[in-house]
Amino acid sequence: MSIKINFNVPPYTGKEVDYMKEAIENQKICGDGPFTRKCGKWIEEQTGTARCLLTPSCTQATELAALLLDIKEGDEVILPSYTFVSTADAFVLRGARAVFVDIRPDTMNIDETLIEDAITEKTRAIAPVHYAGVSCEMDEIMEIAKKHHLAVVEDAAQGIMASYKGKALGTFGEFGCFSFHETKNLSMGEGGALLIRDEKYIEDAEIIREKGTDRSKYHRGQVDKYRWQNYGSSYLPSDMNAAYLYAQLELAEEITQARMDRWNQYKELLSPLAEEGKIELPYIPGHCVHNAHMFYIKTKDLDERCRLDAFLKEKGILPASHYVPLHSAPAGLKFGRFHGEDKYTTKESERLLRLPLFYKLTADEAEYVAEQVRAFYR
Ligand SMILES: *Cc1c(COP(=O)(O)O)cnc(C)c1O
């Protein structure tokens, strides 16, 4: 039998179908049913945020944040170019301009020392991205935001169960956005969550998420009929999807630990190559607790990465490169600009290759992957 190791396998614990069946038997499969509420509460307790609203995706959680901040045409938002399109999309949809700054080569996160220089009188928000579940330097970023009266929207799509100086990712900025896409550590197929730090936004968030109505209040028995209160959209996932997620939240520690075991195994097996200077491995700052969302290696350059990628594919392993910097993409040229010098964004993105990492990846499989990486360099 030939070996085949996929890049990702969606997390599945076994309990999901029971809960989805329960949602169906509850005769409550629309949004904000019992499982959606349980998930929201679980995330509030785990992260310590004031309020968590489940959404159909992280993209939509970010859109909701942009709506709540009343981001408008002519505004500017500062973010890294090395990120998924959604970080920019949410603001660009409101007419804002994306102002990209360079990343730090060690964590691949926005370089906090370059943010201040990119601020203009049009700047409204900073959107740091916690790449690979490793935190950005939030003390510095929050300090800059405070000084210049800017909002912070954390793209914590990859950040559940990770923290910075003991505080959960997604809870520093005005808003934090999680993803529960099938490629993330915990999943519901497609899904996300908006974390709200400041209680003053909760009521508006509930209204915009419920098509501009106060239906959330109605469900809590606080008003006797719900009415159109504001502009809005529909940002509710089905309770069936929330049921799937709830099974994973209950096992969040176990799922994270299983990933961490494989992450540490890769790290140990590949350290000799790093010591020889052949590759670079992820760096986790001492004050960050990561969640083993991703294990990547960095090759010498793009050419070497392509050859390693092809070599691993021949051996039945499916690695993956990552983001094409947004500023170089057609929409990036149209809706954004790069502030300062692209010293690391393009160069580092070209060297990065992600190895298979998922909940049920076995120790034998990880060992085989590491062995093949070593074989390539022999
Ligand atoms: C996955 C991801 C998103 C998008 O999440 P969806 O739930 O698919 O909308 C946004 N930003 C980053 C950094 C991501 O990794």
Side-chain angles (χ1 to χ4, degrees):
M1 203 177 80
S2 68
I3 291 170
K4 174 123 185 175
I5 304 176
N6 279 321
F7 174 67
N8 178 58
V9 175
Y12 180 69
T13 69
K15 200 79 197 273
E16 290 86 348
V17 270
D18 297 337
Y19 286 165
M20 288 177 84
K21 192 158 168 275
E22 196 179 317
I24 294 162
E25 284 165 1
N26 283 343
Q27 303 188 340
K28 191 75 199 158
I29 58 174
C30 70
D32 276 346
F35 283 104
T36 305
R37 285 199 298 273
K38 281 206 261 195
C39 288
K41 204 159 180 335
W42 189 96
I43 295 169
E44 283 162 15
E45 277 163 15
Q46 203 276 333
T47 63
T49 191
R51 192 84 158 86
C52 169
L53 298 174
L54 232 52
T55 58
S57 68
C58 176
T59 305
Q60 282 165 301
T62 316
E63 280 177 34
L64 193 44
L67 279 164
L68 287 161
L69 292 171
D70 197 23
I71 299 291
K72 286 196 284 291
E73 174 116 37
D75 291 345
E76 290 182 354
V77 176
I78 296 173
L79 69 157
S81 169
Y82 186 70
T83 182
F84 190 56
V85 293
S86 305
T87 328
D89 266 332
F91 300 101
V92 163
L93 258 180
R94 308 255 60 80
R97 204 156 179 75
V99 176
F100 303 112
V101 301
D102 210 6
I103 51 167
R104 303 159 46 126
D106 57 355
T107 57
M108 303 297 283
N109 283 334
I110 191 166
D111 185 337
E112 68 282 357
T113 67
L114 301 175
I115 293 173
E116 205 157 14
D117 195 55
I119 295 172
T120 70
E121 68 278 9
K122 293 179 180 167
T123 309
R124 295 281 318 283
I126 306 169
V129 180
H130 305 297
Y131 188 67
V134 179
S135 182
C136 297
E137 288 305 323
M138 291 316 292
D139 279 352
E140 284 78 0
I141 292 171
M142 293 313 296
E143 188 68 39
I144 295 164
K146 198 168 150 205
K147 184 171 154 199
H148 297 273
H149 310 288
L150 305 176
V152 172
V153 179
E154 295 174 70
D155 182 335
Q158 305 171 7
I160 194 157
M161 305 295 282
S163 61
Y164 170 81
K165 299 186 180 175
K167 199 162 142 39
L169 302 193
T171 62
F172 292 85
E174 273 66 16
F175 302 106
C177 307
F178 280 168
S179 173
F180 301 116
H181 184 260
E182 71 163 33
T183 52
K184 303 305 199 282
N185 289 20
L186 306 174
S187 183
M188 54 196 273
E190 296 276 356
L194 179 72
L195 277 63
I196 305 173
R197 187 196 69 205
D198 188 337
E199 299 191 353
K200 78 175 181 207
Y201 290 110
I202 294 175
E203 191 175 342
D204 281 346
E206 286 182 347
I207 287 171
I208 295 176
R209 179 168 170 268
E210 266 283 18
K211 302 96 185 160
T213 74
D214 51 353
R215 184 147 74 179
S216 298
K217 269 191 171 166
Y218 170 73
H219 282 320
R220 288 194 294 262
Q222 293 164 326
V223 288
D224 59 8
K225 56 167 108 46
Y226 68 87
R227 295 182 306 166
W228 191 26
Q229 304 286 350
N230 193 357
Y231 52 75
S233 187
S234 183
Y235 292 119
L236 291 85
S238 156
D239 216 48
M240 281 192 291
N241 294 63
Y244 189 104
L245 179 65
Y246 192 64
Q248 309 227 328
L249 295 179
E250 282 188 326
L251 290 178
E253 297 279 353
E254 183 184 317
I255 292 171
T256 308
Q257 191 54 51
R259 298 182 72 107
M260 198 60 81
D261 291 345
R262 298 290 78 79
W263 196 99
N264 288 330
Q265 189 187 352
Y266 276 145
K267 174 105 187 205
E268 196 184 316
L269 295 173
L270 294 172
S271 282
L273 274 184
E275 279 151 26
E276 289 168 40
K278 298 223 167 84
I279 58 170
E280 280 170 43
L281 299 179
Y283 163 70
I284 314 292
H287 49 274
C288 299
V289 172
H290 75 117
N291 58 4
H293 174 61
M294 187 191 299
F295 193 93
Y296 62 77
I297 62 175
K298 285 191 196 163
T299 60
K300 182 160 66 61
D301 53 23
L302 177 60
D303 175 63
E304 187 177 286
R305 184 187 77 187
C306 293
R307 285 186 291 113
L308 173 59
D309 182 70
F311 179 86
L312 293 176
K313 280 181 180 142
E314 250 170 53
K315 305 290 177 189
I317 299 162
L318 289 176
S321 59
H322 218 176
Y323 312 127
V324 174
L326 298 186
H327 74 282
S328 66
L333 295 168
K334 201 154 128 197
F335 301 123
R337 66 179 159 81
F338 198 97
H339 180 87
E341 189 194 343
D342 172 10
K343 220 159 134 186
Y344 296 113
T345 299
T346 301
K347 189 172 131 230
E348 298 301 302
S349 69
E350 288 178 348
R351 303 201 296 137
L352 187 142
L353 191 68
R354 296 175 292 161
L355 300 182
L357 183 59
F358 47 87
Y359 173 41
K360 296 262 172 87
L361 181 73
T362 66
D364 286 349
E365 287 170 328
E367 192 179 334
Y368 174 76
V369 173
E371 180 46 40
Q372 295 310 316
V373 173
R374 288 201 305 255
F376 173 81
Y377 283 99
R378 270 201 294 271

